[in-house]
Amino acid sequence: MDYSQFLSTVSAAREATPTRVTSELAAKMFSVIFFAGGMPNLDCLPMKNASITLRDGTMVEIGDELMKIALQYCPTEGIQTLLSWFEDLQMKLHNPPTANYTHEEGRMKICVTAGCQDGLSRVYEMLVNPGDSILLEEPNFPGTLSALRPLGCNIIRVPTDAHGIIPKALREILSKWKARNTHKRKMLKFLYTVPNGSNPSGSSLTTERKKEIYKLAQEYNFLIIEDDPYYFLHYEKTKAPTFLSMDVDGRVIRGDSFSKILSPGLRIGFLTGPAPLINKVIQHMQSSTMQTSTFTQVTVMQLLNKWGQKAFLEHTDRVAAFYKKQRDAMLAAADKWLKGLAEWYIPTAGLFLWIKIKGISDSYEMATKKAMERGVALLPGRGFMLDQSEPCPYVRVSFSLVSPDQMDQGFRTLAEIIREEQCENNGE
């Protein structure tokens, strides 16, 4: 694939920074006379070692020698040991066809980022020129919208339902777009999707829909950005294959996050995608953050090495089981108090319930003023829509932090507010 056609003008002009530490150079640091790096002398740095106690009482140790790595610069793409761990995980979970491709064919490559949002923001800037067209499922996470809007791109909304993007609607959109742009030599750059537990809707794409969407990407030649922060918070017995696992062309860039299963405070995630594109993200990082925190990488690396892949996946299963109980408790409270007043569908992954309030056109004042005054914090649906000036009857609620008793109390209060709103709208 010709990846140059997807690059923004700025990204195409980026080159590797010669002063950054490469993986090859890092491996030789202690075996050569190292005039090359402008690094601090470790004897001047105050920390010597560290230990972290896990919830089960076991310890994760960062000894004197490992602390030297944790305190120093590292290759921009990440510490090689951690990258290898992530590569093995991707092979086990997704087995990407691109793993054995050549660089030019889009061989799978991984780089560590300061969380999924950080990495994907760089991806958007790598791909988008002002005036470019992109496809975005609606509703969508406000952080994604705020990252894309300043880039001046033409955002085309793609409708969704309980099972995510609707392929038939996407095909109609693509057909109309192509008809309008036949003689303009324009191209769609990418489709952005959260395939599991979409924020805010909680929807998850089925296998068949993913296959249909991937075929459309091949037919209309656009990339797929698979943002999957809730992959490990899936509540069904089996997950649909990921776009990465069906990526025969090398057109998928996948973002993974550990914030929900390890800690958002660690600020670590990773991108997986075609090497020519991931290299451009790395070049961007070289001129900005330079790297993801080495101390964070070493901490996560020691934890993952202590666990091994099996124990790590057992941990993710325990986390998912906890949130599934939370989801079920919230659904029970919704059934008890909101039946007839609102509509929702059962989220199969993620942390959210996306509720459509009946009898009102817009939830903004109800959520930001009336509910808050009665001690209930909701997010109005407007913030998750491309046009935030349009009325929206939805609210987003999260079941991650609240207890079942709080869910019951909160939805009881919400039901009272909805009835009052409906009475006012009916002039009663």
Side-chain angles (χ1 to χ4, degrees), residues 117-172:
Q117 181 76 1
D118 169 67
L120 291 176
S121 293
R122 299 175 193 279
V123 171
Y124 309 146
E125 294 181 21
M126 171 183 68
L127 300 176
V128 174
N129 286 312
D132 283 345
S133 293
I134 64 169
L135 298 156
L136 201 71
E137 62 186 19
E138 189 179 51
N140 213 298
F141 176 52
T144 301
L145 300 177
S146 64
L148 287 169
R149 285 193 180 107
L151 300 180
C153 51
N154 173 37
I155 302 177
I156 303 171
R157 67 179 79 190
V158 181
T160 61
D161 60 16
H163 303 293
I165 290 171
I166 304 168
K168 182 179 179 181
L170 177 58
R171 179 172 285 281
E172 291 175 357

Side-chain angles (χ1 to χ4, degrees), residues 66-77:
L66 194 55
M67 183 60 84
K68 292 179 182 178
I69 297 173
L71 296 180
Q72 193 54 276
Y73 291 115
C74 76
T76 302
E77 60 265 37

Side-chain angles (χ1 to χ4, degrees), residues 177-186:
W177 185 90
K178 184 177 181 180
R180 289 195 303 269
N181 293 278
T182 300
H183 304 296
K184 298 179 182 178
R185 295 185 179 180
K186 290 186 176 181

Side-chain angles (χ1 to χ4, degrees), residues 368-389:
T368 59
K369 185 178 179 181
K370 294 182 178 180
M372 185 66 74
E373 288 173 350
R374 301 193 197 183
V376 178
L378 311 167
L379 286 182
R382 274 196 211 176
F384 300 92
M385 313 305 284
L386 294 182
D387 186 349
Q388 296 182 4
S389 66

